[in-house]
Amino acid sequence: MTGKEDLFTPVHKGLRAMLYDLSSRLQTNDFADRDATAKLAIDLENDFAAAQSAGCILCAFAFHAEEEEAVVFPSSARAAQSLVSELIQDHHGLTRRETEIGRSMHELVQQPSSEARIAAGIRVNQLVNELIVAYLAHMNREETELVPVMREHFSDGEQAAMRGAIIAKFPREQLFALLGWMLPALNVSELSDLLGSLKGAAPPPLLKAVSDLCGSRVEPARWAEVRLRVGI
Ligand SMILES: [Fe+2]
Ligand SMILES: [Fe+2]
């Protein structure tokens, strides 16, 4: 029996939106502009001293890998050991890239001259482009190879329980920071399924908080269609 659950693709859509946005901001940033560059550095890393901050882009990537390794991979490794060990190796490589990007950006903002920041900015762009290539390939592999394995070996209910365990561990502020990227990245059917399941099971304040977030982040026509379909 093969189910329909997919623990990876919805959150990956949010992460892809983050990667595309980061790429767009980096390649258009004026590194001579100290204030704009400092703002970009904060959004990327949110300072080494507070690297667990909710909106931090590099932190979101790190949390995602940690949750996969803590909740999903231990179960799936029994069915696909070599695939899972390769995906964990990918995570280590992605972490090394993310650390180097954070360090490079940290050094960049310390540069006193515009010329030095511009030169360092070219390098940061290249590092992020390399991260994006590796990250997109990794997520594709999880979706094309691991999702079918999960469907074959775990029921929809078992996978939904794994998702519940991940959500329960997430601090609320970080969860909503990630949802702020994920919700507008979903299509109308995915968003309707998600809101429909919340409507049936979640406490009303949580449904309201997610609905409010959709109202502010999802493209208005798509959100109107979701509300119609779900009846909220
Ligand atoms: Fe992963
Ligand atoms: Fe992933």
Side-chain angles (χ1 to χ4, degrees):
M1 184 195 72
T2 301
K4 295 190 311 179
E5 263 295 355
D6 180 345
L7 293 177
F8 294 87
T9 303
V11 68
H12 285 176
K13 285 191 168 192
L15 295 174
R16 283 191 186 94
M18 294 180 82
L19 288 168
Y20 302 155
D21 182 71
L22 172 62
S23 173
S24 174
R25 285 182 66 187
L26 260 178
Q27 66 187 4
T28 54
N29 187 64
D30 176 9
F31 287 95
D33 182 336
R34 190 189 285 274
D35 291 343
T37 301
K39 170 83 171 67
L40 184 57
I42 287 169
D43 289 349
L44 188 66
E45 175 62 54
N46 232 350
D47 186 336
F48 283 89
Q52 299 298 304
S53 160
C56 162
I57 295 168
L58 292 179
C59 308
F61 298 149
F63 286 139
H64 175 65
E66 284 170 22
E67 296 308 329
E68 283 178 344
E69 290 184 24
V71 178
V72 184
F73 286 0
S75 313
S76 45
R78 290 196 291 276
Q81 193 164 25
S82 66
L83 171 61
V84 168
S85 66
E86 286 172 28
L87 293 171
I88 290 172
Q89 285 305 312
D90 282 357
H91 285 179
H92 295 162
L94 294 170
T95 299
R96 281 193 293 275
R97 291 178 189 280
E98 290 155 12
T99 303
E100 188 181 358
I101 290 165
R103 188 173 52 234
S104 299
M105 198 64 184
H106 192 62
E107 286 169 8
L108 185 155
V109 293
Q110 311 290 324
Q111 298 292 336
S113 77
S114 298
E115 291 75 16
R117 288 197 301 278
I118 289 169
I122 291 169
R123 182 65 189 138
V124 170
N125 258 287
Q126 291 165 342
L127 290 173
V128 169
N129 287 340
E130 287 164 4
L131 171 71
I132 291 171
V133 168
Y135 215 115
L136 292 178
H138 173 77
M139 291 192 290
N140 265 11
R141 216 171 159 209
E142 288 176 338
E143 292 169 21
T144 58
E145 297 183 39
L146 194 50
V147 166
V149 169
M150 297 294 288
R151 285 178 176 166
E152 193 182 332
H153 292 272
F154 299 94
S155 69
D156 284 350
E158 287 168 330
Q159 291 198 66
M162 292 180 201
R163 179 186 293 113
I166 291 172
I167 292 171
K169 285 173 65 182
F170 250 86
R172 184 183 171 91
E173 204 188 349
Q174 284 154 11
L175 177 65
F176 275 73
L178 183 59
L179 285 174
W181 287 97
M182 192 183 103
L183 297 170
L186 299 179
N187 66 39
V188 69
S189 298
E190 293 165 334
L191 207 47
S192 299
D193 286 349
L194 193 149
L195 269 294
S197 66
L198 283 178
K199 185 187 174 191
L206 178 61
L207 176 62
K208 181 177 183 324
V210 174
S211 297
D212 289 348
L213 190 57
C214 287
S216 66
R217 297 297 297 264
V218 176
E219 191 265 319
R222 196 183 329 150
W223 177 229
E225 174 64 19
V226 170
R227 293 185 67 182
L228 202 63
R229 289 194 193 184
V230 178
I232 53 174

